[in-house]
Amino acid sequence: MNDTPSSSPELSGTSTPARSDSTDNPALEVRHIRKAFRQRRGEMQVLDDLSLAVQPGEFVSIIGPSGSGKSTLFHIIGGLMPPGAGSVHMDGRDVTGQKGLIAYMPQQPALFPWRTVEDNVMLPEELRGVSKTQARANARQWIERAGLGGFEKAYPHTLSGGMQQRASFLRALMSPQEVMCLDEPFSALDALTRSEMQHWLLDIWEDTRRSVLMITHHIEEALLLSDSIYILSARPGTVLQKIEVPFPRPRREDILTDPAFLALKSDISSIMRQEQQKRQQVST
């Protein structure tokens, strides 16, 4: 069976954008993105003049009401969908419409069921031409680091949801692309497993410092993980506010009860409620 996927951005190509000599360029920047979809009753505007940036080694989250175009934005960034207007840049280069330039982790693990955990994790390096021996050795190191030691030969259907998500994240991590896009990676997990995965991701990210752009509806998750947060409006999605998260790293669980953390969480929640009310008014 063919192992080459047709739609996953992290595996749709193996080239990476040439890095600029300048250190001032964001790892990822989207500029004035607009997107509309044709419908029987006319066009539906999904994104409207949306701009944001992820600096090298920065963890950025996007939060916004359902239907505000967050996943559409990821499809544009990954080159799977053209914007109606605007552009996507990496390290200063216009890469609009180009595929294979990001590592992508969807809401569901999307592991290949016929491949073991080890074979799934090592796949990106195999596609890059790394020898199977070396790719397997690298995969095993990360599998052990991820707490999946002993499950190298297990198939995805035998794993819990949290274990599948760890393997899926490791596969994205093994991709050579500098920028990782995470689309609500923990939304399908129960509350306890989600909390465990958030802290696990923090530990892994502290080691690698990859440039990350994550979609989430979970305000606490965004504050715990992120350096900055973009709050989107209701459809058509545009940036309402950018928040620089003030809490120092490394972050631990006790930050969740810090008064400053709770106050910022409340402020963001208030903005989100207002946008949700606007969306309900428009729909009625």
Side-chain angles (χ1 to χ4, degrees):
M1 188 176 295
N2 185 7
D3 286 331
T4 304
S6 59
S7 60
S8 295
E10 84 275 21
L11 302 177
S12 58
T14 57
S15 60
T16 55
R19 293 189 61 85
S20 167
D21 291 334
S22 171
T23 58
D24 296 330
N25 291 319
L28 170 68
E29 185 178 17
V30 296
R31 301 178 183 175
H32 307 293
I33 292 291
R34 300 178 188 272
K35 183 65 180 180
F37 294 106
R38 289 186 178 179
Q39 296 184 322
R40 290 183 179 180
R41 299 181 180 179
E43 285 194 338
M44 179 180 68
Q45 193 75 25
V46 178
L47 296 171
D48 184 22
D49 197 27
L50 189 150
S51 299
L52 58 79
V54 181
Q55 301 302 324
E58 187 181 24
F59 198 120
V60 176
S61 287
I62 302 173
I63 59 176
S66 296
S68 58
K70 299 181 294 297
S71 293
T72 297
L73 177 63
F74 267 23
H75 290 154
I76 292 171
I77 292 171
L80 301 179
M81 180 186 296
S87 56
V88 179
H89 296 255
M90 292 185 180
D91 297 309
R93 292 180 59 243
D94 188 337
V95 297
T96 309
Q98 295 185 35
K99 299 178 182 178
L101 302 183
I102 63 168
Y104 175 70
M105 182 177 172
Q107 295 179 25
Q108 301 297 328
L111 299 169
F112 294 116
W114 60 89
R115 293 179 71 106
T116 63
V117 168
E118 182 177 86
D119 289 337
N120 268 288
V121 172
M122 65 186 280
L123 179 58
E125 290 201 331
E126 278 189 86
L127 295 179
R128 289 169 53 202
V130 177
S131 71
K132 283 193 174 184
T133 300
Q134 185 60 55
R136 195 174 302 279
N138 294 340
R140 286 179 176 176
Q141 287 182 356
W142 278 109
I143 288 170
E144 187 67 32
R145 174 72 175 83
L148 293 175
F151 292 91
E152 294 87 351
K153 301 300 182 183
Y155 287 91
H157 74 275
T158 68
L159 305 178
S160 68
M163 293 169 74
Q164 289 182 31
Q165 286 296 77
R166 292 188 189 208
S168 184
F169 181 81
L170 289 181
R171 189 176 68 179
L173 191 67
M174 296 286 282
S175 300
Q177 295 84 352
E178 177 188 355
V179 177
M180 299 182 68
C181 289
L182 313 181
D183 189 352
E184 296 190 72
F186 309 137
S187 61
L189 303 178
D190 63 81
L192 179 59
T193 305
R194 182 174 194 145
S195 178
E196 292 174 350
M197 287 296 298
Q198 289 167 356
H199 290 89
W200 173 81
L201 178 56
L202 263 181
D203 289 341
I204 293 292
W205 182 82
E206 290 285 356
D207 285 348
T208 63
R209 290 285 175 158
R210 296 280 287 276
S211 304
V212 174
L213 181 62
M214 182 180 74
I215 292 172
T216 181
H217 284 94
H218 200 278
I219 298 172
E220 186 175 281
E221 180 172 86
L223 285 171
L224 176 66
L225 297 175
S226 307
D227 297 303
S228 57
I229 299 170
Y230 286 89
I231 304 175
L232 300 194
S233 68
R235 188 174 66 235
T238 192
V239 174
L240 286 177
Q241 190 171 341
K242 179 185 178 183
I243 294 176
E244 301 289 348
V245 180
F247 311 114
R249 296 186 184 276
R251 295 176 189 159
R252 296 294 177 256
E253 192 167 4
D254 57 0
I255 196 175
L256 301 179
T257 57
D258 185 285
F261 185 98
L262 294 174
L264 188 51
K265 178 181 175 182
S266 178
D267 290 344
I268 296 174
S269 180
S270 177
I271 296 171
M272 296 292 294
R273 281 196 301 271
Q274 292 173 13
E275 281 305 299
Q276 189 64 36
Q277 290 171 359
K278 288 182 184 178
R279 185 170 185 268
Q280 291 172 350
Q281 292 171 359
V282 170
S283 64
T284 57

